Amino acid sequence: MTQPMVLAENVHKRFGAVTVLSGIDLEVQAGEVMVIIGPSGSGKTTFLRCINHLEQVNAGRLSVDGELVGYRESNGKLYELRDSEVARKRAEIGMVFQHFNLFPHMTVLQNIVEAPVKVKKVGRPEAERIARELLSKVGLGDRADAYPSQLSGGQKQRVAIARALAMEPKLMLFDEPTSALDPELVGEVLDVMKQLARDGMTMVVVTHEIGFAREVGDKLVFMDGGVVVEAGDPREVLANPQHERTKAFLSKVL
Amino acid sequence: MEPSSNSAPGSPRPEDIKAIPVRHPGRWVTVAILAVLVAMGVHAAVFAKVQRGNSSDGRLQWDIVGKYLFTHVIFEGLKVTIELTVIAMVIGVVGGVLLAVMRLSDNPILSGISWVYLWFFRGTPVLVQLYFWYNISYIFPPTTNGTHKTLSVGVPFGPEFIHFDPNKLITSFVAASIGLGLNEAAYMAEIVRAGLLSVDYGQTEAGQSLGMSRFLIMRRVVLPQAMRVIIPPTGNETISMLKTSSLASAITVGEVLLAAQNIYARTYQTIPLLTVASIWYLIVTSVLMTGQYYVERYYARGRVRELPPTPWQRIKGLVITRHALPPAAVDLEAVTGVGLLGGPSKR
């Protein structure tokens, strides 16, 4: 059996008295695209943020590529990881945010080369060459010297994807990447993500884009109230949902 | 960009509206009152004579101001004032950044130290702090070791690391630099902290998700963006420091106020010499304000789509567009615009 890229076993997460995740069991194989849908407040974004330790899991086990997230296990005890160890693991996981979170004081090119140069210690000329390649891949080869404020939302998100890819991640996390975009600009971002999926990138995508799930998803997960209500092949789940809650949700978004 | 393209095809563009502007009679009354007040002020300051002893004399004695304005002694004092301001602000900014980062850190010991520092230095008058530093050898009297006096730094009841003579090390200038600088650090810490908190937390998360360390995120992502918020009050603090440095005259630092005081102590021309000092403070403040404008502009890059032209660019633009370009070309330039930092924009 091959090792899953992401393995969640009975994952729980609380914020104070509020329980956001109450027992998530999921598995993403290398090369797979998993799409998570669900109403707001269902915990899907929180789960995504747990995967690269932006949030800390309270109970259960969550591992990426066979290694626990945030902890080291030795002699049956869990040890919290140091900041530098967490950072090293995050460097292998790309993340794309709903609000892009580009660095506004840097040009597009500087945004992309920053982490490879400062974290992975790639030489600047080499990093810039890769950055320009990635930019033309996302269709922005001519905007390398623009500042983020001079770009449209769709362009910003494509730069954010290129920035994450520049670290050569083994896993990409997308947190509602098209939710802050004008309807006209959604397509250009989805096209880039589809291409990425076809290239074999392992992806976990939280989104409301059902069409995207149907077209490129290997697995569709419907979450509500901090649990996985239904999971399976996207085409089957969408065409023939088993659970009442799933049916109700899909009838509103489809 | 042509406005007529939005309206229905074929309909001609209507003429510009010519309306009679609103009248403001109140402004004329204000101007008249102001003119009288200004005339009174100028008369008192420049033309009026007063009887002093046997001679009649100008109230502000501008002739004496002119005589001392460019003297060597005043220039020497001005040099010390500027040195003191620069050194104190460097200590203040570096210390302020350190204290702000400490205050925001997860480490309770670091944030506690920062809080106590702020409490102490903001809670005591800077003049009193200056007196303390000036009299440091009263608190730490040197022990006479043979012929020279020494003071040593070390662990209490343990080993001693450094020996020095406090009277030689802590000159009045050093005492003033340390005193003003450490006090400023407490105020700068609050300014820097406000700046750091103004940066969206998503920026930190973006850095984290790229595997950047806390230090790297602070240095490359958060601090540069915080600068936009930090710079204006820091300019304010610098201008304030220039004037606060005059307190150093109280501990015999020969800055510009003490230079002026030393002269009027001899000649009794108190007001003209205070005027001399004030004029120099005004001149240096004006220079600082200009510098602040350009620094703020630099840190605004990436925030606004196009930076507004500097006053100089505005003057140049006026001359060039008025004389060199036909009206049509002016319109074109307004549309194309000038890119960030004056470069040509890419559209």
Side-chain angles (χ1 to χ4, degrees):
Chain A
M1 196 188 120
T2 55
Q3 181 145 271
M5 183 59 83
V6 180
L7 179 63
E9 298 166 292
N10 202 14
V11 166
H12 285 70
K13 172 69 191 169
R14 286 186 311 272
F15 289 116
V18 185
T19 303
V20 186
L21 300 177
S22 35
I24 302 287
D25 291 287
L26 282 175
E27 205 178 297
V28 185
Q29 298 295 333
E32 260 188 347
V33 176
M34 182 167 85
V35 180
I36 306 178
I37 59 171
S40 50
S42 61
K44 51 195 195 309
T45 290
T46 304
F47 176 67
L48 195 74
R49 290 163 59 85
C50 285
I51 298 176
N52 70 348
H53 205 260
L54 287 177
E55 307 291 353
Q56 198 161 6
V57 166
N58 294 120
R61 294 168 66 92
L62 180 62
S63 54
V64 172
D65 208 10
E67 289 180 24
L68 275 182
V69 175
Y71 303 97
R72 180 163 28 82
E73 192 170 34
S74 141
N75 300 327
K77 281 184 191 161
L78 288 182
Y79 296 88
E80 270 190 13
L81 291 183
R82 296 174 166 283
D83 285 348
S84 58
E85 292 168 307
V86 173
R88 210 173 304 135
K89 291 194 175 185
R90 281 185 184 136
E92 299 175 341
I93 303 172
M95 180 140 185
V96 175
F97 298 87
Q98 182 178 357
H99 296 289
F100 330 124
N101 296 0
L102 291 179
F103 305 135
H105 58 303
M106 299 183 189
T107 63
V108 164
L109 193 72
Q110 288 167 342
N111 261 280
I112 300 174
V113 302
E114 180 66 20
V117 169
K118 300 283 178 183
V119 178
K120 281 179 82 178
K121 311 290 178 196
V122 178
R124 192 167 285 274
E126 171 69 1
E128 289 191 358
R129 190 186 61 73
I130 296 170
R132 286 183 196 282
E133 253 173 47
L134 285 168
L135 274 178
S136 52
K137 213 171 138 184
V138 300
L140 291 169
D142 56 337
R143 303 312 307 266
D145 298 320
Y147 280 94
S149 61
Q150 297 166 315
L151 303 179
S152 73
Q155 291 174 327
K156 281 182 201 171
Q157 197 59 297
R158 286 186 279 154
V159 171
I161 294 173
R163 178 175 72 173
L165 290 176
M167 290 297 281
E168 299 174 315
K170 54 187 179 188
L171 168 67
M172 283 283 285
L173 309 174
F174 293 85
D175 182 13
E176 304 201 24
T178 57
S179 296
L181 299 179
D182 286 349
E184 275 188 314
L185 304 175
V186 169
E188 61 189 56
V189 172
L190 290 182
D191 285 343
V192 170
M193 290 168 61
K194 285 174 193 167
Q195 184 55 48
L196 202 55
R198 271 182 233 117
D199 293 347
M201 175 61 75
T202 313
M203 295 160 66
V204 180
V205 185
V206 170
T207 187
H208 296 296
E209 296 294 328
I210 305 295
F212 174 83
R214 187 184 291 125
E215 197 178 330
V216 297
D218 296 301
K219 195 180 280 174
L220 181 68
V221 174
F222 174 68
M223 279 179 71
D224 189 24
V227 293
V228 174
V229 175
E230 196 165 343
D233 181 83
R235 282 148 293 264
E236 272 173 37
V237 174
L238 291 172
N240 189 18
Q242 299 297 310
H243 204 280
E244 281 307 316
R245 187 68 189 88
T246 320
K247 282 179 196 166
F249 179 76
L250 288 177
S251 71
K252 280 179 198 133
V253 295
L254 279 179
Chain B
M1 276 295 150
E2 201 58 31
S4 61
S5 65
N6 291 333
S7 51
S11 67
R13 183 179 181 280
E15 265 183 51
D16 283 351
I17 293 167
K18 290 190 190 84
I20 293 145
V22 175
R23 306 289 179 202
H24 298 283
R27 286 184 192 172
W28 291 106
V29 178
T30 321
V31 166
I33 294 171
L34 265 181
V36 172
L37 288 174
V38 167
M40 284 163 69
V42 169
H43 176 258
V46 183
F47 299 106
K49 300 280 178 202
V50 283
Q51 200 64 34
R52 286 195 181 93
N54 295 328
S55 61
S56 86
D57 206 355
R59 281 181 198 274
L60 290 178
Q61 294 171 294
W62 291 104
D63 51 329
I64 297 169
V65 172
K67 185 178 145 200
Y68 284 108
L69 194 56
F70 300 105
T71 48
H72 179 71
V73 182
I74 293 290
F75 276 140
E76 285 299 305
L78 188 66
K79 216 179 90 192
V80 174
T81 291
I82 292 170
E83 283 170 359
L84 201 52
T85 305
V86 170
I87 294 172
M89 280 313 290
V90 168
I91 297 174
V93 169
V94 173
V97 171
L98 279 177
L99 286 165
V101 172
M102 281 166 69
R103 185 80 193 277
L104 293 174
S105 114
D106 291 337
N107 185 331
I109 299 165
L110 290 183
S111 69
I113 293 172
S114 177
W115 187 89
V116 170
Y117 185 99
L118 259 66
W119 169 76
F120 183 80
F121 281 92
R122 292 199 305 175
T124 51
V126 66
L127 184 57
V128 175
Q129 289 173 29
L130 288 179
Y131 281 133
F132 264 97
W133 285 106
Y134 185 56
N135 295 302
I136 196 82
S137 59
Y138 180 85
I139 311 171
F140 298 102
T143 48
T144 310
N145 178 6
T147 48
H148 45 268
K149 297 169 171 179
T150 67
L151 179 64
S152 50
V153 176
V155 180
F157 312 113
E160 293 173 345
F161 304 131
I162 315 166
H163 302 266
F164 57 86
D165 178 351
N167 284 330
K168 276 187 191 144
L169 188 76
I170 312 284
T171 63
S172 61
F173 181 81
V174 173
S177 305
I178 295 174
L180 292 173
L182 294 188
N183 183 70
E184 183 59 30
Y187 289 92
M188 280 305 302
E190 289 295 274
I191 291 171
V192 174
R193 190 167 69 104
L196 296 178
L197 290 176
S198 76
V199 178
D200 179 27
Y201 192 66
Q203 292 290 311
T204 303
E205 290 192 335
Q208 285 176 337
S209 75
L210 289 166
M212 295 168 77
S213 67
R214 269 167 200 266
F215 178 74
L216 198 56
I217 293 170
M218 182 57 70
R219 190 169 61 87
R220 298 284 303 175
V221 178
V222 178
L223 207 48
Q225 294 184 62
M227 291 307 270
R228 205 173 47 86
V229 175
I230 294 172
I231 291 291
T234 303
N236 220 16
E237 288 292 309
T238 310
I239 287 166
S240 171
M241 177 60 75
L242 178 77
K243 292 165 294 166
T244 309
S245 70
S246 64
L247 288 179
S249 65
I251 57 168
T252 72
V253 176
E255 43 70 72
V256 70
L257 180 62
L258 190 68
Q261 283 172 332
N262 282 343
I263 298 171
Y264 72 65
R266 221 170 355 96
T267 65
Y268 296 102
Q269 291 155 331
T270 310
I271 292 299
L273 277 146
L274 289 178
T275 308
V276 167
S278 301
I279 287 172
W280 280 112
Y281 281 119
L282 271 173
I283 290 171
V284 180
T285 305
S286 310
V287 173
L288 289 175
M289 284 168 74
T290 315
Q292 184 183 358
Y293 174 84
Y294 283 95
V295 174
E296 273 177 36
R297 212 178 121 81
Y298 173 79
Y299 280 103
R301 77 196 192 285
R303 273 287 164 179
V304 285
R305 277 163 190 249
E306 269 173 33
L307 291 173
T310 62
W312 174 238
Q313 283 172 338
R314 233 172 259 163
I315 293 165
K316 249 175 30 183
L318 270 178
V319 173
I320 291 167
T321 49
R322 287 280 156 78
H323 295 294
L325 296 171
V330 175
D331 268 356
L332 187 69
E333 194 176 60
V335 173
T336 1
V338 174
L340 285 151
L341 301 178
S345 68
K346 289 187 177 178
R347 290 215 189 150

